[in-house]
Amino acid sequence: AKESGKNNCQLYNSIMNEESLQQLVMENALRKALEREEFSIYYQPLVDTETGRISGFEALIRWEHPELGLLSPADFIPLAEATGLIGPISEWVLRKACTQNKAWQDAGFPPLQVSVNLSGCQLQEELVETVSGILAVTGLSPGYLQLEITEGNALQNINDCIERLNALKMLGVHIAIDDFGTGYSSLSYLKKFPIDTLKIDKSFVRDVTNDEYDAAIVSTIIGMARSLHLCVIAEGVETQAQLDFLRDQRCEAVQGYLFSRPLPVEECEKLLFKQMKR
Ligand code: C2E
Ligand code: CA
Ligand code: CA
Ligand code: CA
């Protein structure tokens, strides 16, 4: 028994070492990726359910890994969060998305809002200065930037978070709660946070047409948003039936594969052109 205990321990150590080695390799790669600008942003259109027109974009990061190809955020954002690299990465995303949005406006496209995701651990004091600095440098009006935060990770130091969100609000930036309904104490956040928008998580949207609980949850969120004068967006809309349901419920905007996947800049521009000709 003693013997096997030792073996288990060795096995455990070697797994741990392999894992931390892999982590170290990834961490270094991530750092280099930032230097070499291996990241890119894909933009997913948000569509107004009443007019069918694009009402904004969400910026979603991708990593064009030299060997592994296009990596999705799930593959590297958790590591970025754990290592603190999320700070510089997000700053890059913010700058890039604001620059792009301003460029689209300068090119004569109708002004639209761009949404940028923030990890909860990023609601630090510096964030407010970072955001105002980026807005100043890019010349984007604050109202055309929305920051998406998730309830789950904003939990620590709620009062600090509220203070920062208020400061961002004062700048004129919009605040959205992402993945609404999946975190903790959603309703108390609604009361405490200076929120403009609720984004209904795609896990509720998926079965909205064949699960009465999901249907009830989604229509309740939409109704609540309306009563509180918040904008409401449903994410993960893949079928016409889901869209019909959401439109019936007067959900303002939708986002999902039904209309478009996240797209590289040039593809977005094609969509915007097409829309201008309508
Ligand atoms: P999210 O903010 O909830 O973003 C929506 C995710 O749903 C995106 O995945 C998008 O591609 C995907 N999606 C869009 N439409 C549909 C649909 O109709 N069906 C389904 N099944 N999925 C759809 P993506 O791009 O892989 O991003 C995953 C998550 O990574 C995001 O979830 C967000 O939490 C995080 N993320 C992305 N970019 C950033 C970033 O720049 N910074 C930070 N901190 N997190 C980011
Ligand atoms: Ca989001
Ligand atoms: Ca989301
Ligand atoms: Ca999510």
Side-chain angles (χ1 to χ4, degrees), residues 107-124:
F109 291 118
L112 298 172
Q113 196 171 55
V114 70
S115 279
V116 173
N117 292 283
L118 287 183
S119 299
C121 57
Q122 287 187 272
L123 288 176
Q124 309 288 335

Side-chain angles (χ1 to χ4, degrees), residues 44 58 61-62 73 93 117 119 178-179 202 236 238 256-257 262:
Q44 187 175 34
E58 178 172 4
I61 194 171
R62 300 288 180 265
V93 174
N117 292 283
S119 299
D178 205 356
D179 303 342
K202 51 180 174 290
E238 296 182 354
Y257 298 162

Side-chain angles (χ1 to χ4, degrees), residues 87-100:
I89 290 175
S90 294
E91 204 175 321
W92 182 87
V93 174
L94 267 170
R95 185 172 307 111
K96 198 87 178 167
C98 290
T99 305
Q100 185 59 65

Side-chain angles (χ1 to χ4, degrees), residues 3 5 25 43 55 80 82 93 106 132 145 219 253 278:
E3 195 75 346
V25 170
Y43 294 89
S55 60
V93 174
D106 290 348
S132 70
L145 174 64
S219 55
R278 274 201 278 147

